[in-house]
């Protein structure tokens, strides 16, 4: 998986992030992502029973890559790996977690913010670095400024990315983006209109893929 991780990100560009306290809603969100053409689905570890949710989705969505996010410690990562994750994100950079995941051929994307943190993570084995929270640092302009001296480090901005600006992040040089709340409007969830949610998701997914081409 590690050897193909960059090409997977370049092919799909969009990581659908699910954070939910309701398992049924989380599963519906995951299926809406898959129906919308999204292949990379992240379940945050502060969701309701994330390990069980990941196991279910690995069975129900075999054509998608199911990962975990908000991994904070060794036990979180071990439990997530036991559940079958295929990639994982952390909001910080813990080299012990990075090495543990990579030894199991599981891509880990550590979080960083400053140039020093980004270079540190990359130099210690991260294939890609998550820039989080991107909105607090100026958003798209920050990615442009970081990419200028560090064009060799693949970056995934998260935390403030929206459907409206997602394509601009890719154009600015991000290898992929993480999207969460903006993919799932509360009114459409309340109306149980998952078909419309999937249509919205497919629109942005195709938009990002077309940029990569």
């Amino acid at each position: 998986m590690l050897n193909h991780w960059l090409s997977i990100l370049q092919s799909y560009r969009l990581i659908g992030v699910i954070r939910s306290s309701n398992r049924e809603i989380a599963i519906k969100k995951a299926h809406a992502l898959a129906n919308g053409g999204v292949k990379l689905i992240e379940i945050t570890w502060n969701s309701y029973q994330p390990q069980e949710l990941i196991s279910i989705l690995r069975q129900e969505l075999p054509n998608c890559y199911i990962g975990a996010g908000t991994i904070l410690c060794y036990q979180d990562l071990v439990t997530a790996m036991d559940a079958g994750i295929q990639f994982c994100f952390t909001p910080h950079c813990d080299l012990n977690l990075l090495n543990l995941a990579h030894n199991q051929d599981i891509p880990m994307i550590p979080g960083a913010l400053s140039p020093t943190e980004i270079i540190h993570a990359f130099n210690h084995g991260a294939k890609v670095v998550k820039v989080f929270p991107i909105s607090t640092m100026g958003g798209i302009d920050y990615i442009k400024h970081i990419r200028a001296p560090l064009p060799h480090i693949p970056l995934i901005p998260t935390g403030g990315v929206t459907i409206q600006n997602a394509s601009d992040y890719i154009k600015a040089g991000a290898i992929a983006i993480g999207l969460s709340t903006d993919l799932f409007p509360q009114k459409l969830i309340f109306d149980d209109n998952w078909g419309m949610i999937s249509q919205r998701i497919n629109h942005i997914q195709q938009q990002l893929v077309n940029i990569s081409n």
Side-chain angles (χ1 to χ4, degrees), residues 160-191:
V161 181
T162 67
I163 283 179
Q164 287 70 33
N165 64 25
S167 61
D168 292 328
Y169 277 103
I170 300 299
K171 293 174 183 176
I175 190 172
I177 53 95
L179 265 172
S180 180
T181 306
D182 207 31
L183 293 174
F184 309 105
Q186 284 299 313
K187 185 179 187 309
L188 294 180
I189 293 176
F190 182 79
D191 292 340

PDB file of all heavy atoms in Angstrom, residues 160-191:
ATOM      1  N   GLY A 160     -11.044  23.359   7.311  1.00  0.00           N
ATOM      2  CA  GLY A 160     -11.445  24.613   6.677  1.00  0.00           C
ATOM      3  C   GLY A 160     -11.602  24.505   5.181  1.00  0.00           C
ATOM      4  O   GLY A 160     -11.988  25.478   4.525  1.00  0.00           O
ATOM      5  N   VAL A 161     -11.319  23.347   4.600  1.00  0.00           N
ATOM      6  CA  VAL A 161     -11.538  23.140   3.171  1.00  0.00           C
ATOM      7  C   VAL A 161     -13.040  22.969   2.931  1.00  0.00           C
ATOM      8  O   VAL A 161     -13.727  22.272   3.690  1.00  0.00           O
ATOM      9  CB  VAL A 161     -10.773  21.906   2.658  1.00  0.00           C
ATOM     10  CG1 VAL A 161     -10.999  21.719   1.158  1.00  0.00           C
ATOM     11  CG2 VAL A 161      -9.284  22.036   2.972  1.00  0.00           C
ATOM     12  N   THR A 162     -13.559  23.597   1.885  1.00  0.00           N
ATOM     13  CA  THR A 162     -14.978  23.513   1.551  1.00  0.00           C
ATOM     14  C   THR A 162     -15.151  23.065   0.104  1.00  0.00           C
ATOM     15  O   THR A 162     -14.187  23.021  -0.669  1.00  0.00           O
ATOM     16  CB  THR A 162     -15.671  24.880   1.717  1.00  0.00           C
ATOM     17  OG1 THR A 162     -15.148  25.795   0.731  1.00  0.00           O
ATOM     18  CG2 THR A 162     -15.440  25.450   3.108  1.00  0.00           C
ATOM     19  N   ILE A 163     -16.368  22.734  -0.248  1.00  0.00           N
ATOM     20  CA  ILE A 163     -16.659  22.372  -1.637  1.00  0.00           C
ATOM     21  C   ILE A 163     -16.307  23.536  -2.565  1.00  0.00           C
ATOM     22  O   ILE A 163     -15.804  23.336  -3.674  1.00  0.00           O
ATOM     23  CB  ILE A 163     -18.142  21.972  -1.788  1.00  0.00           C
ATOM     24  CG1 ILE A 163     -18.360  20.560  -1.234  1.00  0.00           C
ATOM     25  CG2 ILE A 163     -18.589  22.040  -3.237  1.00  0.00           C
ATOM     26  CD1 ILE A 163     -19.782  20.074  -1.300  1.00  0.00           C
ATOM     27  N   GLN A 164     -16.538  24.762  -2.089  1.00  0.00           N
ATOM     28  CA  GLN A 164     -16.307  25.932  -2.931  1.00  0.00           C
ATOM     29  C   GLN A 164     -14.818  26.163  -3.213  1.00  0.00           C
ATOM     30  O   GLN A 164     -14.447  26.636  -4.285  1.00  0.00           O
ATOM     31  CB  GLN A 164     -16.912  27.184  -2.286  1.00  0.00           C
ATOM     32  CG  GLN A 164     -18.430  27.266  -2.335  1.00  0.00           C
ATOM     33  CD  GLN A 164     -19.106  26.241  -1.429  1.00  0.00           C
ATOM     34  OE1 GLN A 164     -18.571  25.897  -0.369  1.00  0.00           O
ATOM     35  NE2 GLN A 164     -20.275  25.757  -1.844  1.00  0.00           N
ATOM     36  N   ASN A 165     -13.950  25.852  -2.257  1.00  0.00           N
ATOM     37  CA  ASN A 165     -12.527  26.148  -2.467  1.00  0.00           C
ATOM     38  C   ASN A 165     -11.653  24.916  -2.680  1.00  0.00           C
ATOM     39  O   ASN A 165     -10.443  25.035  -2.846  1.00  0.00           O
ATOM     40  CB  ASN A 165     -11.964  26.996  -1.314  1.00  0.00           C
ATOM     41  CG  ASN A 165     -11.981  26.272   0.025  1.00  0.00           C
ATOM     42  OD1 ASN A 165     -11.974  25.052   0.116  1.00  0.00           O
ATOM     43  ND2 ASN A 165     -11.984  27.053   1.105  1.00  0.00           N
ATOM     44  N   ALA A 166     -12.253  23.738  -2.691  1.00  0.00           N
ATOM     45  CA  ALA A 166     -11.475  22.496  -2.796  1.00  0.00           C
ATOM     46  C   ALA A 166     -10.602  22.472  -4.041  1.00  0.00           C
ATOM     47  O   ALA A 166      -9.411  22.131  -3.987  1.00  0.00           O
ATOM     48  CB  ALA A 166     -12.411  21.286  -2.783  1.00  0.00           C
ATOM     49  N   SER A 167     -11.173  22.841  -5.187  1.00  0.00           N
ATOM     50  CA  SER A 167     -10.406  22.792  -6.426  1.00  0.00           C
ATOM     51  C   SER A 167      -9.249  23.779  -6.407  1.00  0.00           C
ATOM     52  O   SER A 167      -8.195  23.527  -6.999  1.00  0.00           O
ATOM     53  CB  SER A 167     -11.318  23.065  -7.626  1.00  0.00           C
ATOM     54  OG  SER A 167     -11.907  24.346  -7.532  1.00  0.00           O
ATOM     55  N   ASP A 168      -9.416  24.901  -5.703  1.00  0.00           N
ATOM     56  CA  ASP A 168      -8.340  25.896  -5.621  1.00  0.00           C
ATOM     57  C   ASP A 168      -7.134  25.349  -4.852  1.00  0.00           C
ATOM     58  O   ASP A 168      -5.998  25.712  -5.149  1.00  0.00           O
ATOM     59  CB  ASP A 168      -8.848  27.178  -4.973  1.00  0.00           C
ATOM     60  CG  ASP A 168      -9.850  27.916  -5.843  1.00  0.00           C
ATOM     61  OD1 ASP A 168      -9.721  27.845  -7.082  1.00  0.00           O
ATOM     62  OD2 ASP A 168     -10.766  28.552  -5.298  1.00  0.00           O
ATOM     63  N   TYR A 169      -7.397  24.503  -3.876  1.00  0.00           N
ATOM     64  CA  TYR A 169      -6.279  23.888  -3.139  1.00  0.00           C
ATOM     65  C   TYR A 169      -5.481  22.947  -4.039  1.00  0.00           C
ATOM     66  O   TYR A 169      -4.247  22.912  -3.975  1.00  0.00           O
ATOM     67  CB  TYR A 169      -6.805  23.127  -1.924  1.00  0.00           C
ATOM     68  CG  TYR A 169      -7.059  24.003  -0.720  1.00  0.00           C
ATOM     69  CD1 TYR A 169      -8.348  24.377  -0.367  1.00  0.00           C
ATOM     70  CD2 TYR A 169      -6.009  24.456   0.067  1.00  0.00           C
ATOM     71  CE1 TYR A 169      -8.590  25.190   0.730  1.00  0.00           C
ATOM     72  CE2 TYR A 169      -6.241  25.258   1.168  1.00  0.00           C
ATOM     73  CZ  TYR A 169      -7.530  25.625   1.500  1.00  0.00           C
ATOM     74  OH  TYR A 169      -7.762  26.428   2.589  1.00  0.00           O
ATOM     75  N   ILE A 170      -6.188  22.196  -4.879  1.00  0.00           N
ATOM     76  CA  ILE A 170      -5.483  21.306  -5.809  1.00  0.00           C
ATOM     77  C   ILE A 170      -4.687  22.127  -6.812  1.00  0.00           C
ATOM     78  O   ILE A 170      -3.526  21.828  -7.114  1.00  0.00           O
ATOM     79  CB  ILE A 170      -6.476  20.372  -6.533  1.00  0.00           C
ATOM     80  CG1 ILE A 170      -7.239  19.497  -5.516  1.00  0.00           C
ATOM     81  CG2 ILE A 170      -5.735  19.496  -7.545  1.00  0.00           C
ATOM     82  CD1 ILE A 170      -6.372  18.583  -4.690  1.00  0.00           C
ATOM     83  N   LYS A 171      -5.285  23.177  -7.317  1.00  0.00           N
ATOM     84  CA  LYS A 171      -4.584  24.051  -8.261  1.00  0.00           C
ATOM     85  C   LYS A 171      -3.375  24.712  -7.615  1.00  0.00           C
ATOM     86  O   LYS A 171      -2.386  25.023  -8.292  1.00  0.00           O
ATOM     87  CB  LYS A 171      -5.538  25.112  -8.803  1.00  0.00           C
ATOM     88  CG  LYS A 171      -6.643  24.551  -9.688  1.00  0.00           C
ATOM     89  CD  LYS A 171      -7.640  25.641 -10.072  1.00  0.00           C
ATOM     90  CE  LYS A 171      -8.789  25.070 -10.889  1.00  0.00           C
ATOM     91  NZ  LYS A 171      -9.821  26.106 -11.204  1.00  0.00           N
ATOM     92  N   ALA A 172      -3.448  24.929  -6.297  1.00  0.00           N
ATOM     93  CA  ALA A 172      -2.337  25.553  -5.576  1.00  0.00           C
ATOM     94  C   ALA A 172      -1.203  24.571  -5.296  1.00  0.00           C
ATOM     95  O   ALA A 172      -0.148  24.982  -4.822  1.00  0.00           O
ATOM     96  CB  ALA A 172      -2.829  26.160  -4.267  1.00  0.00           C
ATOM     97  N   GLY A 173      -1.431  23.284  -5.584  1.00  0.00           N
ATOM     98  CA  GLY A 173      -0.363  22.311  -5.434  1.00  0.00           C
ATOM     99  C   GLY A 173      -0.597  21.199  -4.443  1.00  0.00           C
ATOM    100  O   GLY A 173       0.260  20.321  -4.284  1.00  0.00           O
ATOM    101  N   ALA A 174      -1.732  21.198  -3.736  1.00  0.00           N
ATOM    102  CA  ALA A 174      -2.030  20.104  -2.821  1.00  0.00           C
ATOM    103  C   ALA A 174      -2.226  18.803  -3.600  1.00  0.00           C
ATOM    104  O   ALA A 174      -2.827  18.810  -4.675  1.00  0.00           O
ATOM    105  CB  ALA A 174      -3.284  20.416  -2.008  1.00  0.00           C
ATOM    106  N   ILE A 175      -1.744  17.691  -3.072  1.00  0.00           N
ATOM    107  CA  ILE A 175      -1.911  16.411  -3.754  1.00  0.00           C
ATOM    108  C   ILE A 175      -3.334  15.888  -3.583  1.00  0.00           C
ATOM    109  O   ILE A 175      -3.870  15.174  -4.437  1.00  0.00           O
ATOM    110  CB  ILE A 175      -0.893  15.373  -3.248  1.00  0.00           C
ATOM    111  CG1 ILE A 175      -0.923  14.124  -4.142  1.00  0.00           C
ATOM    112  CG2 ILE A 175      -1.137  15.015  -1.786  1.00  0.00           C
ATOM    113  CD1 ILE A 175       0.184  13.132  -3.840  1.00  0.00           C
ATOM    114  N   ALA A 176      -3.974  16.272  -2.472  1.00  0.00           N
ATOM    115  CA  ALA A 176      -5.354  15.863  -2.191  1.00  0.00           C
ATOM    116  C   ALA A 176      -5.886  16.793  -1.121  1.00  0.00           C
ATOM    117  O   ALA A 176      -5.148  17.596  -0.533  1.00  0.00           O
ATOM    118  CB  ALA A 176      -5.411  14.410  -1.730  1.00  0.00           C
ATOM    119  N   ILE A 177      -7.184  16.682  -0.854  1.00  0.00           N
ATOM    120  CA  ILE A 177      -7.796  17.485   0.215  1.00  0.00           C
ATOM    121  C   ILE A 177      -8.717  16.593   1.041  1.00  0.00           C
ATOM    122  O   ILE A 177      -9.226  15.569   0.558  1.00  0.00           O
ATOM    123  CB  ILE A 177      -8.569  18.703  -0.339  1.00  0.00           C
ATOM    124  CG1 ILE A 177      -9.595  18.283  -1.424  1.00  0.00           C
ATOM    125  CG2 ILE A 177      -7.608  19.726  -0.920  1.00  0.00           C
ATOM    126  CD1 ILE A 177     -10.975  18.063  -0.904  1.00  0.00           C
ATOM    127  N   GLY A 178      -8.915  16.980   2.287  1.00  0.00           N
ATOM    128  CA  GLY A 178      -9.866  16.292   3.143  1.00  0.00           C
ATOM    129  C   GLY A 178     -11.103  17.152   3.321  1.00  0.00           C
ATOM    130  O   GLY A 178     -11.002  18.336   3.654  1.00  0.00           O
ATOM    131  N   LEU A 179     -12.278  16.568   3.086  1.00  0.00           N
ATOM    132  CA  LEU A 179     -13.547  17.276   3.224  1.00  0.00           C
ATOM    133  C   LEU A 179     -14.455  16.510   4.159  1.00  0.00           C
ATOM    134  O   LEU A 179     -14.545  15.284   4.086  1.00  0.00           O
ATOM    135  CB  LEU A 179     -14.228  17.432   1.865  1.00  0.00           C
ATOM    136  CG  LEU A 179     -14.011  18.729   1.093  1.00  0.00           C
ATOM    137  CD1 LEU A 179     -14.606  18.613  -0.304  1.00  0.00           C
ATOM    138  CD2 LEU A 179     -14.622  19.907   1.834  1.00  0.00           C
ATOM    139  N   SER A 180     -15.164  17.237   5.013  1.00  0.00           N
ATOM    140  CA  SER A 180     -16.025  16.565   5.991  1.00  0.00           C
ATOM    141  C   SER A 180     -17.427  17.166   5.991  1.00  0.00           C
ATOM    142  O   SER A 180     -18.275  16.799   5.180  1.00  0.00           O
ATOM    143  CB  SER A 180     -15.403  16.660   7.389  1.00  0.00           C
ATOM    144  OG  SER A 180     -16.216  16.021   8.345  1.00  0.00           O
ATOM    145  N   THR A 181     -17.667  18.114   6.875  1.00  0.00           N
ATOM    146  CA  THR A 181     -19.013  18.648   7.116  1.00  0.00           C
ATOM    147  C   THR A 181     -19.676  19.161   5.846  1.00  0.00           C
ATOM    148  O   THR A 181     -20.875  18.949   5.627  1.00  0.00           O
ATOM    149  CB  THR A 181     -18.942  19.781   8.151  1.00  0.00           C
ATOM    150  OG1 THR A 181     -18.277  19.298   9.327  1.00  0.00           O
ATOM    151  CG2 THR A 181     -20.336  20.261   8.529  1.00  0.00           C
ATOM    152  N   ASP A 182     -18.904  19.825   4.997  1.00  0.00           N
ATOM    153  CA  ASP A 182     -19.486  20.459   3.814  1.00  0.00           C
ATOM    154  C   ASP A 182     -20.040  19.449   2.811  1.00  0.00           C
ATOM    155  O   ASP A 182     -20.826  19.815   1.937  1.00  0.00           O
ATOM    156  CB  ASP A 182     -18.429  21.342   3.136  1.00  0.00           C
ATOM    157  CG  ASP A 182     -19.048  22.493   2.364  1.00  0.00           C
ATOM    158  OD1 ASP A 182     -20.123  22.975   2.783  1.00  0.00           O
ATOM    159  OD2 ASP A 182     -18.462  22.912   1.358  1.00  0.00           O
ATOM    160  N   LEU A 183     -19.635  18.191   2.929  1.00  0.00           N
ATOM    161  CA  LEU A 183     -20.143  17.156   2.027  1.00  0.00           C
ATOM    162  C   LEU A 183     -21.546  16.694   2.402  1.00  0.00           C
ATOM    163  O   LEU A 183     -22.243  16.106   1.574  1.00  0.00           O
ATOM    164  CB  LEU A 183     -19.209  15.942   2.040  1.00  0.00           C
ATOM    165  CG  LEU A 183     -17.812  16.127   1.459  1.00  0.00           C
ATOM    166  CD1 LEU A 183     -16.989  14.862   1.695  1.00  0.00           C
ATOM    167  CD2 LEU A 183     -17.887  16.438  -0.032  1.00  0.00           C
ATOM    168  N   PHE A 184     -21.939  16.952   3.636  1.00  0.00           N
ATOM    169  CA  PHE A 184     -23.180  16.378   4.158  1.00  0.00           C
ATOM    170  C   PHE A 184     -24.068  17.464   4.769  1.00  0.00           C
ATOM    171  O   PHE A 184     -24.134  17.609   5.995  1.00  0.00           O
ATOM    172  CB  PHE A 184     -22.864  15.321   5.221  1.00  0.00           C
ATOM    173  CG  PHE A 184     -21.866  14.290   4.790  1.00  0.00           C
ATOM    174  CD1 PHE A 184     -20.552  14.324   5.262  1.00  0.00           C
ATOM    175  CD2 PHE A 184     -22.220  13.274   3.915  1.00  0.00           C
ATOM    176  CE1 PHE A 184     -19.633  13.369   4.875  1.00  0.00           C
ATOM    177  CE2 PHE A 184     -21.300  12.316   3.513  1.00  0.00           C
ATOM    178  CZ  PHE A 184     -19.998  12.371   3.992  1.00  0.00           C
ATOM    179  N   PRO A 185     -24.772  18.242   3.952  1.00  0.00           N
ATOM    180  CA  PRO A 185     -25.656  19.288   4.487  1.00  0.00           C
ATOM    181  C   PRO A 185     -26.699  18.703   5.436  1.00  0.00           C
ATOM    182  O   PRO A 185     -27.333  17.691   5.134  1.00  0.00           O
ATOM    183  CB  PRO A 185     -26.315  19.854   3.227  1.00  0.00           C
ATOM    184  CG  PRO A 185     -25.363  19.537   2.120  1.00  0.00           C
ATOM    185  CD  PRO A 185     -24.757  18.221   2.475  1.00  0.00           C
ATOM    186  N   GLN A 186     -26.857  19.355   6.563  1.00  0.00           N
ATOM    187  CA  GLN A 186     -27.758  18.843   7.588  1.00  0.00           C
ATOM    188  C   GLN A 186     -29.202  18.718   7.087  1.00  0.00           C
ATOM    189  O   GLN A 186     -29.903  17.779   7.454  1.00  0.00           O
ATOM    190  CB  GLN A 186     -27.715  19.748   8.827  1.00  0.00           C
ATOM    191  CG  GLN A 186     -26.471  19.575   9.676  1.00  0.00           C
ATOM    192  CD  GLN A 186     -26.362  18.151  10.217  1.00  0.00           C
ATOM    193  OE1 GLN A 186     -27.329  17.583  10.733  1.00  0.00           O
ATOM    194  NE2 GLN A 186     -25.182  17.565  10.091  1.00  0.00           N
ATOM    195  N   LYS A 187     -29.627  19.647   6.250  1.00  0.00           N
ATOM    196  CA  LYS A 187     -31.008  19.572   5.763  1.00  0.00           C
ATOM    197  C   LYS A 187     -31.221  18.324   4.918  1.00  0.00           C
ATOM    198  O   LYS A 187     -32.262  17.657   5.033  1.00  0.00           O
ATOM    199  CB  LYS A 187     -31.362  20.818   4.947  1.00  0.00           C
ATOM    200  CG  LYS A 187     -32.831  20.835   4.511  1.00  0.00           C
ATOM    201  CD  LYS A 187     -33.187  22.065   3.730  1.00  0.00           C
ATOM    202  CE  LYS A 187     -34.698  22.126   3.464  1.00  0.00           C
ATOM    203  NZ  LYS A 187     -35.236  20.891   2.877  1.00  0.00           N
ATOM    204  N   LEU A 188     -30.257  17.999   4.067  1.00  0.00           N
ATOM    205  CA  LEU A 188     -30.399  16.806   3.235  1.00  0.00           C
ATOM    206  C   LEU A 188     -30.359  15.537   4.084  1.00  0.00           C
ATOM    207  O   LEU A 188     -31.057  14.562   3.779  1.00  0.00           O
ATOM    208  CB  LEU A 188     -29.289  16.778   2.177  1.00  0.00           C
ATOM    209  CG  LEU A 188     -29.353  17.885   1.118  1.00  0.00           C
ATOM    210  CD1 LEU A 188     -28.197  17.748   0.126  1.00  0.00           C
ATOM    211  CD2 LEU A 188     -30.688  17.845   0.370  1.00  0.00           C
ATOM    212  N   ILE A 189     -29.550  15.539   5.141  1.00  0.00           N
ATOM    213  CA  ILE A 189     -29.534  14.390   6.055  1.00  0.00           C
ATOM    214  C   ILE A 189     -30.891  14.271   6.753  1.00  0.00           C
ATOM    215  O   ILE A 189     -31.463  13.178   6.849  1.00  0.00           O
ATOM    216  CB  ILE A 189     -28.399  14.524   7.085  1.00  0.00           C
ATOM    217  CG1 ILE A 189     -27.033  14.422   6.390  1.00  0.00           C
ATOM    218  CG2 ILE A 189     -28.517  13.437   8.159  1.00  0.00           C
ATOM    219  CD1 ILE A 189     -25.859  14.646   7.325  1.00  0.00           C
ATOM    220  N   PHE A 190     -31.400  15.400   7.235  1.00  0.00           N
ATOM    221  CA  PHE A 190     -32.686  15.412   7.922  1.00  0.00           C
ATOM    222  C   PHE A 190     -33.800  14.907   7.004  1.00  0.00           C
ATOM    223  O   PHE A 190     -34.702  14.186   7.435  1.00  0.00           O
ATOM    224  CB  PHE A 190     -33.008  16.819   8.419  1.00  0.00           C
ATOM    225  CG  PHE A 190     -34.299  16.925   9.173  1.00  0.00           C
ATOM    226  CD1 PHE A 190     -34.375  16.535  10.502  1.00  0.00           C
ATOM    227  CD2 PHE A 190     -35.456  17.393   8.549  1.00  0.00           C
ATOM    228  CE1 PHE A 190     -35.580  16.620  11.204  1.00  0.00           C
ATOM    229  CE2 PHE A 190     -36.653  17.480   9.242  1.00  0.00           C
ATOM    230  CZ  PHE A 190     -36.723  17.091  10.574  1.00  0.00           C
ATOM    231  N   ASP A 191     -33.724  15.287   5.714  1.00  0.00           N
ATOM    232  CA  ASP A 191     -34.739  14.854   4.740  1.00  0.00           C
ATOM    233  C   ASP A 191     -34.481  13.438   4.220  1.00  0.00           C
ATOM    234  O   ASP A 191     -35.252  12.940   3.387  1.00  0.00           O
ATOM    235  CB  ASP A 191     -34.771  15.816   3.552  1.00  0.00           C
ATOM    236  CG  ASP A 191     -35.294  17.195   3.928  1.00  0.00           C
ATOM    237  OD1 ASP A 191     -35.970  17.308   4.967  1.00  0.00           O
ATOM    238  OD2 ASP A 191     -35.014  18.166   3.185  1.00  0.00           O
TER     239      ASP A 191
END
